[in-house]
Amino acid sequence: MLALLALLLDGLGPARPAAAQGSVVSRLLELSRGADRPLPTTLWYPSALAGRHPIILFSHGLGGLPRHFAPLAAGWAEAGYVVAAPTYPFTNGLGRVDRRDIVNQPADAAFVIEAVRALNGVPGDVLAGHLDIDRVAAVGFSAGGTTTLGLFGPGHPAYLRAGVSISGRRPPAEFGGSPAPLLFLHGDRDRVVPIRAGRQAYASAQFPKQFVTIPGARHGEFLRPGDSRYPRVTGRILTFLGANVPVA
């Protein structure tokens, strides 16, 4: 276990200072899966930690950044989750976007999950002893939804309990491993990732699953707090997470 912990944290640079935002704290972990795959990861978690908290891995879309989804992540943290959102190296909004790299992102996401789980045993870390490392969910938007679904391949860890794909496509690899509930959400006027692509992803999954159509919605504007559909959509996601990866 100690050897595994050392291996996982070998790519962990010094953590940036935490910033409190009311009942939620955010902080940046400088993770890296090799020299050419930096994965700086933003964490959001409750400022008052008590007991053990499940983990949510969130994946952004093409040209996105974790901070674009801060209200969504903060809402999950307020509900008692620890949220980890990596900035993927070749699909983020800070440089040239290479959609061909999406195929590599499920492995990035899995690496980040393991690194965050490892914090539970790091002496002195504020999250030590407060992570429910056996209950992890993955959520992603657009290319991040495809990344999320890619985590649920053959042999995926049993602690990966549920997944949510928002406006995503079918993953590059087949589904497999122990069944984990999946939630698919998609706007029926999405021109970036047409709803038929989301339905194809849904049809390819053999796990317990739900498909939610968001009438009149395009590509993700319903994830903005000012959108009238935001409370309904985020509530649906949180209800699904609470049913399958509950906070103790």
Side-chain angles (χ1 to χ4, degrees), residues 192-232:
V192 178
V193 180
I195 192 170
R196 66 177 179 273
R199 293 192 183 281
Q200 288 169 355
Y202 172 82
S204 68
Q206 295 81 40
F207 298 163
K209 55 191 178 181
Q210 307 170 41
F211 192 97
V212 176
T213 300
I214 307 171
R218 297 185 296 277
H219 194 62
E221 75 278 9
F222 48 84
L223 295 179
R224 300 174 189 146
D227 189 276
S228 62
R229 293 158 294 195
Y230 180 82
R232 185 171 70 254

Side-chain angles (χ1 to χ4, degrees), residues 2-198:
L2 290 175
L4 175 61
L5 180 62
L7 177 63
L8 286 170
L9 297 186
D10 183 55
L12 177 62
R16 302 277 181 87
Q21 302 169 0
S23 60
V24 173
V25 173
S26 64
R27 115 194 204 208
L28 184 66
L29 296 179
E30 294 290 356
L31 298 175
S32 177
R33 190 168 73 93
D36 62 339
R37 297 201 73 81
L39 292 165
T41 297
T42 306
L43 300 181
W44 289 266
Y45 49 87
S47 56
L49 291 165
R52 295 183 181 271
H53 301 260
I55 299 166
I56 297 174
L57 188 287
F58 180 79
S59 296
H60 64 74
L62 294 176
L65 290 167
R67 66 170 180 261
H68 296 160
F69 303 89
L72 189 64
W76 294 333
E78 288 174 351
Y81 294 92
V82 172
V83 184
T87 298
Y88 292 105
F90 301 111
T91 62
N92 65 70
L94 299 176
R96 186 174 65 87
V97 172
D98 184 355
R99 65 177 61 247
R100 296 171 299 178
D101 198 58
I102 297 171
V103 69
N104 297 312
Q105 291 184 173
D108 291 336
F111 174 85
V112 171
I113 291 172
E114 289 296 341
V116 174
R117 290 177 76 246
L119 293 176
N120 197 56
V122 176
D125 192 277
V126 68
L127 293 175
H130 289 296
L131 292 173
D132 188 344
I133 61 173
D134 293 324
R135 285 190 289 180
V136 178
V139 183
F141 169 66
S142 193
T146 305
T147 298
T148 294
L149 296 177
L151 286 166
F152 293 88
H156 71 78
Y159 60 68
L160 194 58
R161 300 294 187 90
V164 181
S165 174
I166 308 167
S167 307
R169 297 179 182 271
R170 183 172 178 172
E174 296 298 318
F175 291 97
S178 57
L182 299 174
L183 174 64
F184 298 76
L185 300 103
H186 219 114
D188 62 2
R189 294 188 180 179
D190 192 336
R191 294 183 178 180
V192 178
V193 180
I195 192 170
R196 66 177 179 273

